[in-house]
Amino acid sequence: MAKIIHNDTVDVLLERVSIRAFKDEAIEPDVLNTIEQTAQNTASSQYLNDWSVIRIKNPAVKSEIARICNQDYIANAPVLYIFVLDQYRNSLIAQSEDVAADSDEFTLKNSYRFSQAQNDAVLALHAMETAAESFELGTVILGSILGNIPELVKLLALPKYTYPVLGLALGKPDQHPDPKPRLPRDIQFFDDSYNAEPNRILDGIRKYDREVQAYYDTRGKDLSERAYSDMTTKKATSTAALEMGFEHARAQGFDLEK
């Protein structure tokens, strides 16, 4: 059986956990400068550099974001970044070359570019997250910033052709949770083609349910033997995500029907 080969980079990735409690200690400027540079060195599709990051330094703004996220601990994070997909900067370049943003020639606002920029922002965030953890900082990725997109857009003064993607809070950890169990690899990694045989996948999920239940048992949460399946089914039937639909992206100038 193949084994895990350890080195400093692999261990940072294997040991990552989400940290939601931070020490009240500042992060050295050189450390922040370094991890920001790693984000800028991330691959960018077609060299468009179509993402940006907003550092949240004002405590009042941080508190407002914590309210939007409905997660109080965010207000106490020593460092908070909001990643946005950003075609605004590129639109300025195009418009300076006489491409009208309301013309058919202008494709930066279309669905493919939206998805591309979103992917690039996620890649940049992941680079920063990994770099931060290599300095023994704790991090948590915040999808919860999308809890109220219009409020966040207004709060951060996001211009047309930008859109919030994820937040990243980091600091010196004040908790040390164990990593959550992961899916059996043979139902997530496939050779040459997708193995869609339902019984095989569901057998793996039943095994995974027991691992997830055991994980939460050690944390005092009494979940059923179908812990992961129950969580997934609940999300699969939730209508909450529909309220965060594409109308907010359209309000930011994107035409997601093209």
Side-chain angles (χ1 to χ4, degrees), residues 29 61 63 89 104 121 137 153 169-170 180 194 198 203 221 225:
V61 176
S63 293
R89 182 170 46 240
D104 291 338
L137 298 176
V153 166
L170 59 90
K180 288 181 180 178
Y194 194 105
D203 282 346
K221 293 185 177 181
E225 293 181 358

Side-chain angles (χ1 to χ4, degrees), residues 34 36 82 95 104 132 140 144 165 176 189 219 229:
T34 300
E36 289 179 5
I82 304 297
Q95 291 178 81
D104 291 338
V140 59
S144 53
V165 177
H176 300 281
F189 278 72
R219 281 147 188 79
S229 294

Side-chain angles (χ1 to χ4, degrees), residues 220-258:
K221 293 185 177 181
D222 184 18
L223 301 183
S224 78
E225 293 181 358
R226 299 184 68 256
Y228 179 74
S229 294
D230 287 345
M231 294 179 201
T232 302
T233 301
K234 183 177 181 180
K235 293 181 176 69
T237 56
S238 171
T239 60
L242 300 178
E243 298 172 5
M244 298 183 282
F246 288 150
E247 67 270 18
H248 302 310
R250 294 187 182 99
Q252 285 299 101
F254 291 97
D255 186 353
L256 302 184
E257 295 178 357
K258 292 184 178 181

Side-chain angles (χ1 to χ4, degrees), residues 79-119:
V79 181
L80 178 61
Y81 294 99
I82 304 297
F83 284 72
V84 300
L85 65 85
D86 186 356
Q87 297 294 7
Y88 172 74
R89 182 170 46 240
N90 291 332
S91 76
L92 294 181
I93 297 171
Q95 291 178 81
S96 73
E97 298 294 330
D98 298 324
V99 176
D102 59 355
S103 71
D104 291 338
E105 292 180 85
F106 185 72
T107 60
L108 292 177
K109 63 186 178 183
N110 292 354
S111 59
Y112 172 73
R113 296 299 186 194
F114 183 93
S115 298
Q116 176 190 52
Q118 187 176 45
N119 290 341

